[in-house]
């Protein structure tokens, strides 16, 4: 398995500001992902964080709104930019240690935008 | 487009009961299927992974089966306990992509 931590665990932010969420894994992993879980909904993939290159975004998500960094094989950040109340969600990172294998999730970051 | 459905959306059972959670999917060309539990306000805990060549996996009181031809997976929980109360999510990947496609989950309540 993998031990994954996220910072912050929760935050309350004002409309128009940005928040950067960190994801740290206890070992090197091949794949890192960012998901969003809106209230009462299931999880939706935002993007795949690629080490050393630009993230791969899913339909409906763009780099200007959700810039992602992955400087090495154990760390990634997701920024939620120019926030609106509709961005209020739980944001989760997940990792896959070996290709085509089990995915593990972090504890999530609960974001509330006022 | 792959769609994952979990029925029922909510389930309440007395402690000690054996129960089955269902997951169905529209495209049988899947690669892996994973079952997770999510406690309120928390992240996801991986329970079982069934890879494409497998038909079932077991861990303790949990058994998950996969029938790709019929587009179904089931999660069997034996001798349920109040600590099993959580939302159970199934998710799958398809060939060529690591993206997990999730169902909306079944919220399980086990009453003492």
């Amino acid at each position: 398995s993998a031990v994954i931590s996220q910072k912050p665990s929760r935050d309350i932010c004002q409309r128009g500001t940005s928040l950067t969420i960190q994801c740290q894994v206890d070992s090197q992993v091949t794949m890192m992902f960012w998901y969003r879980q809106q209230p009462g909904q299931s999880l939706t993939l935002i993007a795949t964080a690629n080490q050393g290159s630009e993230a791969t975004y899913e339909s409906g998500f763009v780099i200007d709104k959700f810039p992602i960094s992955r400087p090495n094989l154990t760390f990634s950040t997701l920024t939620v930019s120019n926030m609106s109340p509709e961005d209020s969600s739980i944001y989760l990172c997940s990792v896959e240690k070996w290709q085509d294998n089990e995915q593990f999730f972090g504890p999530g970051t609960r974001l509330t935008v006022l | 487009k792959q769609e994952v459905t979990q029925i029922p959306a909510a389930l309440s059972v007395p402690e000690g009961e054996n129960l089955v959670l269902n997951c169905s999917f529209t495209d049988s060309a899947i690669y892996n299927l994973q079952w997770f539990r999510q406690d309120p306000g928390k992240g996801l805990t991986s329970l079982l992974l069934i890879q494409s060549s497998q038909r079932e996996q077991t861990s303790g009181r949990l058994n998950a089966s996969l029938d790709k031809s019929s587009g179904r997976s089931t999660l069997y929980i034996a001798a349920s306990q109040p600590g099993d109360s959580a939302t159970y999510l199934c998710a799958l990947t398809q060939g060529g992509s690591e993206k997990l496609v999730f169902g909306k989950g079944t919220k399980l309540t086990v009453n003492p």
Side-chain angles (χ1 to χ4, degrees):
Chain A
S1 67
V3 178
I4 306 165
S5 60
Q6 284 186 235
K7 291 182 181 179
S9 58
R10 59 177 61 224
D11 207 341
I12 301 173
C13 300
Q14 296 298 318
R15 180 194 299 262
T17 63
S18 298
L19 176 71
T20 295
I21 303 167
Q22 299 179 5
C23 178
Q24 178 76 53
V25 193
D26 68 337
S27 58
Q28 292 185 345
V29 295
T30 56
M31 309 288 285
M32 295 183 79
F33 308 91
W34 287 98
Y35 286 82
R36 179 176 74 180
Q37 186 175 30
Q38 294 177 300
Q41 302 298 313
S42 195
L43 283 79
T44 302
L45 179 65
I46 297 171
T48 301
N50 300 310
Q51 197 265 326
S53 64
E54 198 169 277
T56 304
Y57 290 85
E58 295 296 306
S59 176
F61 298 97
V62 295
I63 187 171
D64 290 346
K65 177 67 176 177
F66 297 102
I68 287 171
S69 78
R70 188 175 175 195
N72 56 52
L73 293 176
T74 63
F75 185 78
S76 177
T77 66
L78 168 74
T79 298
V80 186
S81 303
N82 188 25
M83 288 184 284
S84 67
E86 292 70 37
D87 294 320
S88 297
S89 298
I90 299 175
Y91 292 85
L92 302 104
C93 72
S94 76
V95 304
E96 187 176 284
K97 296 190 78 171
W98 304 282
Q99 194 167 1
D100 299 333
N101 213 300
E102 194 170 2
Q103 287 192 27
F104 302 96
F105 280 77
T109 295
R110 181 180 290 273
L111 171 62
T112 302
V113 184
L114 303 177
Chain B
K1 179 186 171 185
Q2 178 73 270
E3 292 185 2
V4 181
T5 303
Q6 292 187 248
I7 295 174
L11 181 64
S12 181
V13 300
E15 182 176 3
E17 190 161 302
N18 301 325
L19 58 100
V20 174
L21 307 180
N22 296 296
C23 173
S24 62
F25 43 92
T26 54
D27 186 346
S28 62
I30 71 169
Y31 200 76
N32 290 342
L33 188 141
Q34 244 178 297
W35 281 92
F36 298 89
R37 70 173 279 168
Q38 184 175 32
D39 294 282
K42 305 289 185 180
L44 276 66
T45 300
S46 178
L47 298 174
L48 290 164
L49 168 73
I50 308 177
Q51 295 183 308
S52 59
S53 59
Q54 300 171 326
R55 292 186 63 86
E56 69 176 329
Q57 283 289 324
T58 298
S59 176
R61 294 182 294 109
L62 305 180
N63 175 274
S65 66
L66 173 62
D67 183 345
K68 290 197 290 184
S69 62
S70 67
R72 293 183 58 192
S73 176
T74 61
L75 179 66
Y76 174 82
I77 303 176
S80 58
Q81 304 170 357
D84 295 329
S85 298
T87 296
Y88 290 80
L89 298 163
C90 75
L92 54 85
T93 59
Q94 297 188 267
S97 174
E98 311 299 317
K99 170 186 173 180
L100 279 170
V101 178
F102 281 85
K104 292 188 175 181
T106 294
K107 183 177 182 180
L108 173 66
T109 302
V110 181
N111 300 300

